[in-house]
Every structure is written in structure tokens, then in C-alpha cells.
Amino acid sequence: MAETIQLAETAGFAIVTLTGGHLPPGDAPNITARIDPLQQAAFAGPLTTRVGLVPEVEATFVEPFHTSNQLSSLDHVSRGRGRWIVKASGGAEDATVYGRDPLTDPIALRREVSDVIEVSRRLWDSWEDDAV
């Protein structure tokens, strides 16, 4: 993954988007771990110098504090090149991964995502510039 992002940067790409997600729950004892797009972007941050790193991040079922804190860390390790594609899923499969109830009403889903974005923005504005 890091080599691919470095090649994209060398080729002159302005941004790299990263998608994927957590593994769904399973019964097998040997489920291989998978790092999510935000973790991949944070890993690539110090390895690159110009390309923007834009992970797709779940906004529906993850607490806004964790999302905003991780995105702030991405922005720090990438020296200001981190961004965010908001993933707004409300389906039963995604909800099960996070141990939450599905959001099947489109209005409720839109409201939840809007709230997460607003809370994340407020959290970013509440931290000192040099806070870790």
C-alpha cells in the first residue's frame, strides 16, 4: 500500500483516496486483522511529502470524538495533507460491525451524519494548535 501511494505521488497525483473497512464479525478463530483507510493514510503520511491523503471514514456508527481525534492525528503526521471522505452507511451489516442498531430512515441517517460532521468541526476548533 505504501509503495502504491509513493508511486502515485511520484507520478504527480494530487490526492490519493483510501477506501475499505473493518472486518465483519465472524466465528472463525483466525480472522486476519485489516487496518482501516484512516490508519492506512496515517501510515502513509510520514512516507510522502506532497500527495493529499483522503481516507473514507465511517461517520454513522463511530463516536465523533474518535473520528476527529484520528483525523487530527492524520493531519499532523501528513503535515496538513489529510482530508476526509464521509462514509454515511446505515445498513444492518455495517451496524453489526459496530454493535449498533441500523439507521434505515434516510432522514435520520442524514441528520446523524450532519451531527457527526458538526461535532467533529467543533472538536477541532476546541483544541489548541499544538495539542496532541
Side-chain angles (χ1 to χ4, degrees):
M1 182 267 320
E3 289 178 9
T4 303
I5 293 173
Q6 289 171 324
L7 285 171
E9 181 175 62
T10 303
F13 281 70
I15 63 169
V16 172
T17 59
L18 301 118
T19 62
H22 297 285
L23 288 175
D27 297 324
N30 297 321
I31 293 178
T32 304
R34 178 187 310 159
I35 62 173
D36 66 30
L38 184 50
Q39 294 164 334
Q40 292 174 21
F43 177 77
L47 304 176
T48 57
T49 58
R50 296 180 311 277
V51 69
L53 302 167
V54 189
E56 179 183 70
V57 180
E58 174 62 57
T60 313
F61 301 115
V62 178
E63 293 298 325
F65 173 80
H66 299 300
T67 299
S68 61
N69 194 16
Q70 291 174 335
L71 287 166
S72 181
S73 295
L74 167 62
D75 201 51
H76 176 73
V77 299
S78 68
R79 296 169 300 283
R81 294 175 290 118
R83 299 295 182 263
W84 178 19
I85 296 174
V86 177
K87 180 180 179 185
S89 59
E93 185 176 342
D94 288 326
T96 301
V97 171
Y98 295 97
R100 305 278 300 270
D101 293 329
L103 287 169
T104 55
D105 177 25
I107 294 171
L109 177 61
R110 189 174 309 120
R111 186 172 42 248
E112 178 70 18
V113 171
S114 177
D115 289 348
V116 167
I117 293 169
E118 178 63 24
V119 168
S120 294
R121 285 181 176 159
R122 288 183 183 199
L123 283 167
W124 290 325
D125 290 342
S126 72
W127 295 327
E128 296 295 325
D129 289 339
D130 60 350
V132 176

